[in-house]
Amino acid sequence: MEKITMNDYIKLPKTAVVLGNFDGIHKGHTLLIKKAKEIAREEGVKTAIFTFNPHPSFVLTGKMPVDLIYTGQEKEMVMEQEGIDFYIEFPFTKQSASMSYKQFIEDIILTKLNAQVVIIGADYRFGKNKLGDYKTLVKYSQEYDFDVIVVHKLKHKDTVISSTWIRDEIKNANIELANELTGRPFIINGQVMKGKNIGTGIGIPTANIIPDESKLLPPKGVYVSKVQVKGKDYNGVTNIGNNPTVEGQALIIETHIIDFNEDIYGEEISVKLYHYVRPEKKFNNLTELKEQIDLDIEEMKNYFNLTK
Ligand code: RBF
Ligand code: MG
């Protein structure tokens, strides 16, 4: 996958372009992506994702995001896993917001993205004052040489899948349902930093990461997890919290990886959550904390059906 920040000089080979905001990259979004890949295969064109960054609503309201399901870096990683050829980020500014839908279609979609087919959600809006939508594109497609495919919202048990719904489930620690709606485990990426090594002292070494400020997190507590290190997955138990037992301060994501003893300081890892185990507690001493963590590990092993 090639990531491109939109500039004046871009000219892609013929593409099937998906337009969207994609926070969450849920099964509804994946449907659009699948469609693009299908067309790309049939017509011998490349797949492209076009997205604004930051999300238009943050620029228009002036508020910074604090509840992103995926940070920019995570989104890119997931798009890469989805098998996209070009991932295009358009820096959304007050200036780009003032571009008319005509200009957007002609200059961006047709000229720079070289779209042969545009895949768009029924509710997607573009151009100044959000006056453009799939109907606008369909109209243009009769004059210019490209096709439009409109994809309607996908439901899960009678409810439309949305990023808002997924956010709510994550906030309520319903990780399984959130994962069901996106079709992949919820991830928290970060660089492993040096800890105080208190965990190592009690036989529970951890890989610690500080979450990105804009990242939505589930409630503090312990989760069954897997950690991707250098492309490989390992089973683990993850605590999200402030470590009240050892008078910790900053919110930190600590994962004890089982059957693992490599030094991975500085490594970029991806913590994948599967299941909420319990809230974070303040224990009287490290022995009690260690006893509880041993139980957490048991629960993780049961969850993954590991034999020992
Ligand atoms: N710290 C707490 O103060 N309370 C907890 O309930 C707690 N649970 C944890 C569960 C797991 C699986 C792990 C890996 C860590 C947990 N911690 C908890 C964090 C612990 O205090 C920390 O890893 C060590 O003190 C080393 O920094
Ligand atoms: Mg949407």
Side-chain angles (χ1 to χ4, degrees):
M1 187 182 79
E2 189 179 339
K3 186 198 168 180
I4 296 173
T5 302
M6 185 60 98
N7 64 50
D8 289 345
Y9 310 104
I10 286 171
K11 177 79 184 186
L12 298 186
K14 277 276 176 211
T15 58
V17 179
V18 185
L19 304 179
N21 293 316
F22 310 108
D23 185 27
I25 318 181
H26 55 62
K27 281 182 175 168
H29 299 139
T30 317
L31 203 61
L32 281 95
I33 293 172
K34 276 203 190 112
K35 199 81 217 163
K37 287 169 75 175
E38 222 173 270
I39 293 163
R41 231 188 351 260
E42 286 167 9
E43 314 225 348
V45 299
K46 299 288 183 189
T47 51
I49 295 284
F50 175 90
T51 193
F52 286 107
N53 185 36
H55 191 291
S57 68
F58 299 128
V59 176
L60 299 172
T61 62
K63 273 190 285 184
M64 277 311 283
V66 286
D67 58 353
L68 295 181
I69 300 171
Y70 293 120
T71 63
Q73 185 266 355
E74 290 165 352
K75 224 188 218 185
E76 212 182 306
M77 185 178 104
V78 172
M79 288 300 184
E80 169 117 53
Q81 289 164 353
E82 292 289 337
I84 295 296
D85 296 314
F86 297 102
Y87 178 61
I88 296 111
E89 270 186 359
F90 190 104
F92 194 85
T93 57
K94 290 234 158 90
Q95 194 195 338
S96 51
S98 68
M99 181 186 296
S100 70
Y101 63 73
K102 181 174 191 292
Q103 208 184 341
F104 182 75
I105 294 172
E106 291 177 357
D107 183 41
I108 297 195
I109 298 183
L110 298 179
T111 306
K112 290 182 176 146
L113 302 182
N114 204 3
Q116 176 150 332
V117 181
V118 179
I119 298 105
I120 181 173
D123 65 334
Y124 190 76
R125 301 281 182 278
F126 56 86
K128 191 179 175 192
N129 299 329
K130 297 184 176 176
L131 289 172
D133 65 0
Y134 75 92
K135 291 184 201 128
T136 323
L137 277 172
V138 169
K139 219 177 82 199
Y140 268 78
S141 71
Q142 289 152 2
E143 263 174 70
Y144 294 85
D145 185 26
F146 72 102
D147 291 323
V148 180
I149 293 177
V150 184
V151 178
H152 292 276
K153 288 190 176 284
L154 188 69
K155 288 182 179 176
H156 173 82
K157 294 182 182 166
D158 292 334
T159 306
V160 168
I161 299 176
S162 69
S163 300
T164 306
W165 183 11
I166 296 164
R167 266 188 218 103
D168 286 343
E169 298 306 338
I170 294 166
K171 285 178 194 159
N172 290 315
N174 296 327
I175 307 299
E176 277 96 340
L177 181 51
N179 292 353
E180 170 69 32
L181 299 175
T182 60
R184 72 182 76 78
F186 180 69
I187 52 171
I188 309 165
N189 288 3
Q191 190 181 29
V192 180
M193 44 163 263
K194 277 242 183 280
K196 289 166 290 189
N197 279 324
I198 303 172
T200 308
I202 56 169
I204 313 283
T206 57
N208 305 343
I209 59 178
I210 302 285
D212 192 274
E213 278 173 9
S214 60
K215 177 80 178 176
L216 169 72
L217 293 173
K220 285 190 254 181
V222 178
Y223 295 82
V224 167
S225 64
K226 284 181 194 281
V227 182
Q228 188 180 310
V229 187
K230 298 177 205 162
K232 218 178 139 207
D233 274 3
Y234 301 89
N235 298 316
V237 271
T238 297
N239 186 61
I240 301 179
N242 325 83
N243 307 357
T245 308
V246 295
E247 246 113 90
Q249 299 282 317
L251 190 82
I252 183 170
I253 318 269
E254 292 181 294
T255 304
H256 172 63
I257 310 173
I258 61 159
D259 304 326
F260 187 86
N261 49 20
E262 273 176 57
D263 180 354
I264 53 169
Y265 288 121
E267 210 55 61
E268 279 290 338
I269 64 169
S270 187
V271 178
K272 308 178 180 181
L273 303 186
Y274 287 83
H275 172 71
Y276 174 70
V277 178
R278 63 169 177 89
E280 187 181 45
K281 291 178 227 163
K282 183 169 165 65
F283 291 93
N284 294 317
N285 52 60
L286 288 175
T287 312
E288 284 178 22
L289 171 66
K290 154 100 172 114
E291 278 168 12
Q292 178 59 57
I293 293 178
D294 286 339
L295 294 175
D296 299 335
I297 294 170
E298 279 313 302
E299 181 153 346
M300 180 270 290
K301 288 180 175 172
N302 286 334
Y303 188 87
F304 286 140
N305 281 317
L306 304 179
T307 40
K308 50 170 202 139

